[in-house]
């Protein structure tokens, strides 16, 4: 039950990632252990801590767990003193899109943060295709317009093949 700081949290999460990945242990247990570490933080989570958690969620097949840390990610973006990690945007967007139930609002919010940071997203076409397809099925024209605005502004890079198919 000891409280920990971000540097120790990062080390513990990386340790879980490396050791449990090699041994192919129960992924649910590993994700739960990582979240327990996260809950013991004595300070606001750093982007390094968040990035390592998001990577663990993705690689261990539990991308929907991003919702457990969403409020902290949101706080980091509203707090001007928090350093922004550019690794966070693609990791967060991948988690949002790979989740069992894609939340278009979370995807658009992540893209909005990315836009405000003037970050150019380089991500597999399949992720953006999945998001665009879902927006089209749900007739969410506002989100589609926003995504295509990001393409036009050069903030989302994709292959020429992708642009021909959409």
């Amino acid at each position: 039950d000891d409280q920990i700081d971000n540097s120790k949290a990062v080390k513990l999460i990386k340790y879980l990632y490396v050791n449990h990945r090699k041994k192919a242990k129960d992924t649910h247990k590993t994700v739960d252990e990582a979240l327990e570490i996260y809950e013991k933080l004595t300070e606001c989570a750093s982007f390094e801590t968040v990035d390592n958690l998001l990577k663990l969620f993705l690689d261990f097949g539990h991308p929907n767990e991003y919702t457990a840390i969403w409020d902290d990610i949101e706080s980091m973006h509203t707090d001007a003193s928090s350093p922004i990690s550019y690794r966070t945007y693609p990791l967060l967007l991948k988690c949002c899109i790979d989740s069992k139930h894609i939340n278009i609002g979370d995807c658009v919010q992540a893209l909005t943060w990315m836009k405000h940071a003037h970050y150019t997203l380089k991500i597999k076409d399949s992720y953006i295709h999945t998001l665009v397809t879902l927006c089209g099925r749900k007739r969410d024209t506002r989100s589609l317009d926003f995504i295509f605005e990001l393409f036009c502004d050069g903030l989302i890079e994709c292959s020429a093949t992708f642009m021909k198919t959409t």
Side-chain angles (χ1 to χ4, degrees):
D1 290 326
D2 294 336
Q3 297 291 302
I4 58 175
D5 64 11
N6 276 297
S7 64
K8 186 172 182 179
V10 168
K11 288 175 187 170
L12 290 170
I13 292 167
K14 283 181 179 180
Y15 175 82
L16 279 175
Y17 182 88
V18 170
N19 288 312
H20 289 216
R21 192 74 175 165
K22 286 179 183 175
K23 298 174 185 173
K25 289 191 174 188
D26 178 25
T27 60
H28 289 286
K29 184 178 179 193
T30 303
V31 169
D32 288 344
E33 287 176 21
L35 285 170
E36 285 175 23
I37 291 166
Y38 183 77
E39 290 171 5
K40 291 180 181 180
L41 285 172
T42 57
E43 55 198 4
C44 293
S46 68
F47 273 98
E48 188 178 9
T49 301
V50 168
D51 290 351
N52 280 284
L53 272 173
L54 291 173
K55 185 173 177 6
L56 186 136
F57 296 159
L58 280 168
D59 291 348
F60 280 69
H62 299 279
N64 52 309
E65 293 295 335
Y66 81 91
T67 58
I69 62 172
W70 180 263
D71 289 342
D72 288 337
I73 295 170
E74 197 167 32
S75 295
M76 289 175 183
H77 282 87
T78 57
D79 180 6
S81 66
S82 291
I84 294 174
S85 164
Y86 290 127
R87 286 185 46 201
T88 303
Y89 300 117
L91 290 169
L92 181 58
L93 198 60
K94 286 176 185 179
C95 281
C96 290
I97 293 170
D98 277 351
S99 291
K100 291 176 186 170
H101 304 287
I102 301 172
N103 182 325
I104 293 173
D106 287 356
C107 293
V108 169
Q109 183 60 63
L111 289 168
T112 302
W113 290 328
M114 180 195 81
K115 179 182 178 181
H116 291 158
H118 306 289
Y119 176 79
T120 301
L121 182 67
K122 295 175 185 175
I123 194 169
K124 284 185 182 177
D125 291 352
S126 61
Y127 286 102
I128 297 299
H129 184 268
T130 299
L131 180 57
V132 167
T133 301
L134 181 63
C135 290
R137 264 195 247 129
K138 298 215 180 232
R139 302 195 191 312
D140 186 344
T141 56
R142 288 173 74 193
S143 295
L144 280 172
D145 289 345
F146 179 67
I147 293 166
F148 285 113
E149 175 189 319
L150 295 175
F151 279 118
C152 293
D153 292 346
L155 293 175
I156 296 178
E157 291 184 2
C158 62
S159 68
T161 308
F162 175 78
M163 290 308 285
K164 289 178 187 176
T165 61
T166 52

